[in-house]
Amino acid sequence: MSGSSNAINFLAVSSSSSSHLCSTKMALAISDELLATFIPIVVYWIYSAFYMSFGSFDNYRLHSKNLVSKANVIKNVLFQQTIQSTLAIVLYRVIGNEGGGASKSQSNSITVMAGQFIIAMFVSDTWQYFMHRYFHHNKFLYRHFHSHHHKLVVPYAFGAIYNHPLEAFVFDIIGGALSYSISGMSPRTSMYFFSFATIKSVDDHCGVWLPGNLFHIFFNNNSAYHDVHHYLYGGKYNFSQPFFVMWDRIMGTYMPYSLEKRAEGGFEAKTY
């Protein structure tokens, strides 16, 4: 009887341990998806705070007037991030992707991740360019949706995703889902990619030209380039975002510019 009791206890402990192990594995699997959802949001505010902590940057600012208050921008962005994080969790579950069928060691290798980054950047740029351009050329879409973003004549760093909710869904949610699924990256890799894309987008909307900024050195698509697009007369050019300028060059919407120092301080991106 004692032996049977011990056997039953052993089986119960083994079953409990197995269940705990399965739960732990599930928690770990979910954690990458949650990290990929919320880390870019944290990065967004940290990098924005970096720019805000140094004051107005008057000696490096590209513009000096605006059509929307900072308080309204912050409220809108927080609302957007709430919607996007909820949808992102659902999409991660629906799309899946555990490294595009590769083993975990392969999917985490630098070479594979670099390739996935390049593919995701190309997909993101392609989707963003044609959607962005269409939202400008279609008068209804521009008046009722995209014009919200262009109230930021002077882009705030934390206003990178200041958009109408519908536009945010089309640009960011669908665009992000396409980049993620087509590149075949894992949730962990997507955390790095979307954090990088977030930093790049915030930098493009910072409205200042800081010396030594690596994004200005390695990317022609930068804060001055996007600032030209935010000019009241520049809405027909420089649609490319957030990484490269290739689609503007290919489609004839590239507007070159030169940076000149203003007498009162700051810079001005003068178009040719």
Side-chain angles (χ1 to χ4, degrees), residues 35-75:
L35 285 172
T37 299
F38 293 107
I39 290 297
I41 294 176
V42 174
V43 167
Y44 184 98
W45 291 106
I46 290 175
Y47 196 61
S48 297
F50 163 75
Y51 276 106
M52 297 306 297
S53 66
F54 288 98
S56 61
F57 281 115
D58 286 340
N59 288 331
Y60 304 102
R61 185 153 293 284
L62 294 161
H63 265 307
S64 58
K65 60 180 180 178
N66 226 329
L67 302 177
V68 63
S69 70
K70 292 180 180 180
N72 284 338
V73 172
I74 291 173
K75 284 188 286 187

Side-chain angles (χ1 to χ4, degrees), residues 69-83:
S69 70
K70 292 180 180 180
N72 284 338
V73 172
I74 291 173
K75 284 188 286 187
N76 175 276
V77 169
L78 288 173
F79 178 67
Q80 302 289 3
Q81 289 176 333
T82 301
I83 295 174

Side-chain angles (χ1 to χ4, degrees), residues 1-271:
M1 183 74 177
S2 175
S4 298
S5 177
N6 288 338
I8 291 171
N9 288 337
F10 175 76
L11 289 173
V13 170
S14 298
S15 176
S16 176
S17 299
S18 298
S19 299
H20 178 70
L21 184 60
C22 289
S23 299
T24 302
K25 286 182 177 179
M26 187 176 293
L28 288 173
I30 294 173
S31 68
D32 276 2
E33 296 166 352
L34 291 176
L35 285 172
T37 299
F38 293 107
I39 290 297
I41 294 176
V42 174
V43 167
Y44 184 98
W45 291 106
I46 290 175
Y47 196 61
S48 297
F50 163 75
Y51 276 106
M52 297 306 297
S53 66
F54 288 98
S56 61
F57 281 115
D58 286 340
N59 288 331
Y60 304 102
R61 185 153 293 284
L62 294 161
H63 265 307
S64 58
K65 60 180 180 178
N66 226 329
L67 302 177
V68 63
S69 70
K70 292 180 180 180
N72 284 338
V73 172
I74 291 173
K75 284 188 286 187
N76 175 276
V77 169
L78 288 173
F79 178 67
Q80 302 289 3
Q81 289 176 333
T82 301
I83 295 174
Q84 290 177 14
S85 60
T86 303
L87 291 174
I89 292 172
V90 174
L91 286 171
Y92 274 122
R93 291 298 190 89
V94 172
I95 297 173
N97 259 23
E98 290 300 330
S103 69
K104 189 168 184 179
S105 60
Q106 288 177 323
S107 65
N108 289 334
S109 74
I110 297 298
T111 304
V112 171
M113 288 175 64
Q116 291 170 338
F117 259 60
I118 292 171
I119 293 170
M121 290 165 80
F122 174 77
V123 172
S124 178
D125 267 25
T126 302
W127 177 260
Q128 292 272 352
Y129 174 84
F130 288 101
M131 287 297 101
H132 190 189
R133 184 174 178 178
Y134 185 61
F135 268 68
H136 268 275
H137 287 192
N138 185 297
K139 292 182 180 179
F140 177 84
L141 290 177
Y142 184 82
R143 184 183 305 114
H144 294 284
F145 302 107
H146 191 56
S147 61
H148 285 249
H149 183 68
H150 276 272
K151 290 177 182 177
L152 289 175
V153 180
V154 185
Y156 298 133
F158 53 83
I161 61 170
Y162 175 76
N163 297 313
H164 187 281
L166 177 64
E167 179 184 341
F169 177 78
V170 173
F171 280 47
D172 301 325
I173 298 298
I174 296 179
L178 288 171
S179 299
Y180 173 69
S181 58
I182 293 174
S183 67
M185 60 177 58
S186 66
R188 176 60 62 92
T189 301
S190 74
M191 177 186 72
Y192 300 128
F193 174 72
F194 290 125
S195 293
F196 173 68
T198 295
I199 293 172
K200 179 68 173 62
S201 185
V202 168
D203 203 86
D204 290 347
H205 289 82
C206 68
V208 298
W209 187 267
L210 290 179
N213 187 325
L214 293 178
F215 286 115
H216 298 164
I217 296 171
F218 292 106
F219 291 92
N220 289 327
N221 194 334
N222 48 47
S223 59
Y225 185 85
H226 197 65
D227 194 70
V228 169
H229 176 74
H230 273 262
Y231 282 177
L232 292 176
Y233 60 84
K236 295 181 180 180
Y237 304 95
N238 294 11
F239 298 109
S240 291
Q241 57 184 34
F243 300 110
F244 308 113
V245 301
M246 62 178 182
W247 284 116
D248 275 318
R249 290 186 180 277
I250 291 170
M251 302 302 293
T253 53
Y254 177 81
M255 179 177 279
Y257 63 90
S258 62
L259 277 177
E260 298 183 13
K261 248 189 155 351
R262 289 195 298 260
E264 64 273 21
F267 292 93
E268 182 177 357
K270 286 200 169 181
T271 56

